[in-house]
Amino acid sequence: MNTVTEKACAKINICLDVTGIREDGYHSIESVMLCVTLADDVTVEKTDDIGITLECSRSDLPTGEKNLAYKAAAAFYEYIEENPRVHIKLIKNIPDQAGLAGGSADAAAVLRALNTLTGACLSDETLRKIAEGIGSDVIFCVSSDPSFVSGRGEIIDYCAPLPECTVLLAKGNSGVKTPGAYRSLDVMYGDYSERGGLAKKCLDAMYSGSLDAISESAFNIFEEIVIPNDPEISLIKDEMKRNGASLSLMSGSGSAVFGLYRSESDARLAQKALREKGFFAEVCKPL
Ligand code: C5P
């Protein structure tokens, strides 16, 4: 086998809370995360020469060590104590700076693909250990199953999936840089001593299987600090609601918004309206 291709699926947060600052400088989070069918295509190809090379369908993204997919390949070969011999091809469909874990999903897909390509047969648990050194969301993206995620993102407890529904992902023209979003949250919440427990209610709602209960308990702490600086997010949320979304919520630290719909045709109407406004909008399914 000389080539392996993996799907790298976008992630959404049905709820996202920040509950403390850790000694390692990261924040403790509590989140229900799941993936949707919108995905990048990630291919790894064996090469004769030693090294990692990367090509990307989007010319504005880095192709060297700054790309998380490159970092993932370097970390994988270091773990198996072999010289890297790989060319990575990324076909990007997930927008960046969106809170959809596009870069993290690519990195996790590289880990899975290299696991097959090299015949290393590492367990998901080992891949998650390697992922810890690459980025917090990469850990979840290794298996991508609906999960309650805590710690800095390394504690993964699988949970019930969403009930049957359609997902609309949309994003305006501005993006959000995650470290700055966390810094603004620190200013607002201090040591976060008042936070905690809200995400568990959302987890219970996931097990209830009721889209109404899930929509009522869903929240994202980052909305409070990101939305006031980005009027497009409110506009997108309002458009989704107007077209019958049961829930519309920002994902991660933004700026993408997802809508959950009972009716796929409502989701398609909202997609059309948002595209007419010049926004990115894709209809997909939850996994
Ligand atoms: O883990 P990752 O490198 O993706 O995180 C990017 C940045 O987001 C970190 O440098 C940190 O500022 C912030 N972060 C955090 N707590 C988390 C995850 C991310 O403070 N649990």
Side-chain angles (χ1 to χ4, degrees):
M1 191 189 311
N2 286 319
T3 302
V4 176
T5 299
E6 281 275 338
K7 287 270 175 216
C9 297
K11 162 237 61 165
I12 57 173
N13 305 77
I14 304 296
C15 67
L16 175 54
D17 204 1
V18 177
T19 55
I21 306 177
R22 296 155 49 106
E23 282 183 358
D24 59 10
Y26 282 89
H27 292 74
S28 307
I29 63 158
E30 289 180 355
S31 182
V32 172
M33 295 190 193
L34 54 91
C35 282
V36 296
T37 49
L38 177 76
D40 295 342
D41 291 310
V42 178
T43 301
V44 294
E45 209 175 282
K46 255 187 206 159
T47 54
D48 293 333
D49 296 336
I50 293 178
I52 300 166
T53 50
L54 189 149
E55 68 178 275
C56 182
S57 62
R58 271 190 45 193
S59 57
D60 57 324
L61 297 180
T63 52
E65 283 168 24
K66 279 199 174 150
N67 194 304
L68 289 185
Y70 186 108
K71 272 192 194 162
F76 183 88
Y77 280 103
E78 195 182 318
Y79 185 87
I80 63 167
E81 298 181 339
E82 277 183 24
N83 284 322
R85 288 173 198 275
V86 68
H87 179 65
I88 303 166
K89 285 186 193 161
L90 301 181
I91 298 177
K92 295 292 300 176
N93 299 306
I94 307 172
D96 66 322
Q97 291 192 15
L100 298 173
S104 302
D106 295 347
V110 164
L111 294 180
R112 290 194 305 270
L114 285 178
N115 203 25
T116 308
L117 188 77
T118 60
C121 287
L122 305 178
S123 65
D124 274 8
E125 203 186 325
T126 304
L127 293 183
R128 278 198 279 269
K129 274 275 159 230
I130 302 173
E132 280 185 27
I134 306 165
S136 305
D137 278 347
V138 187
I139 309 165
F140 162 76
C141 291
V142 165
S143 50
S144 301
D145 295 314
S147 301
F148 185 77
V149 178
S150 57
R152 81 166 239 242
E154 81 284 15
I155 305 172
I156 313 279
D157 293 305
Y158 298 129
C159 74
L162 278 180
E164 168 58 30
C165 65
T166 297
V167 180
L168 174 61
L169 296 180
K171 182 179 173 279
N173 296 307
S174 55
V176 175
K177 292 212 163 77
T178 307
Y182 272 104
R183 277 196 296 275
S184 304
L185 264 193
D186 291 347
V187 172
M188 186 176 268
Y189 283 103
D191 64 359
Y192 300 90
S193 54
E194 306 291 310
R195 304 290 309 184
L198 283 175
K200 286 268 170 13
K201 287 194 181 135
C202 181
L203 179 64
D204 288 345
M206 291 293 285
Y207 279 104
S208 79
S210 150
L211 199 57
D212 285 337
I214 292 166
S215 303
E216 272 163 33
S217 63
F219 70 97
N220 181 341
I221 189 173
F222 285 101
E223 282 199 339
E224 294 167 55
I225 51 143
V226 177
I227 289 181
N229 298 315
D230 188 345
E232 285 176 344
I233 295 176
S234 302
L235 211 146
I236 292 171
K237 287 185 65 154
D238 290 348
E239 190 64 59
M240 286 184 174
K241 285 273 181 197
R242 212 177 2 258
N243 286 282
S246 166
L247 168 70
S248 73
L249 192 70
M250 197 178 80
S251 187
S253 57
S255 61
V257 174
F258 67 88
L260 302 185
Y261 291 83
R262 283 196 171 78
S263 142
E264 185 174 333
S265 55
D266 284 351
R268 297 227 173 257
L269 284 176
Q271 177 188 34
K272 188 166 174 286
L274 288 165
R275 283 186 173 173
E276 278 166 6
K277 290 188 165 69
F279 297 139
F280 164 91
E282 281 295 333
V283 170
C284 53
K285 284 283 178 186
L287 290 169

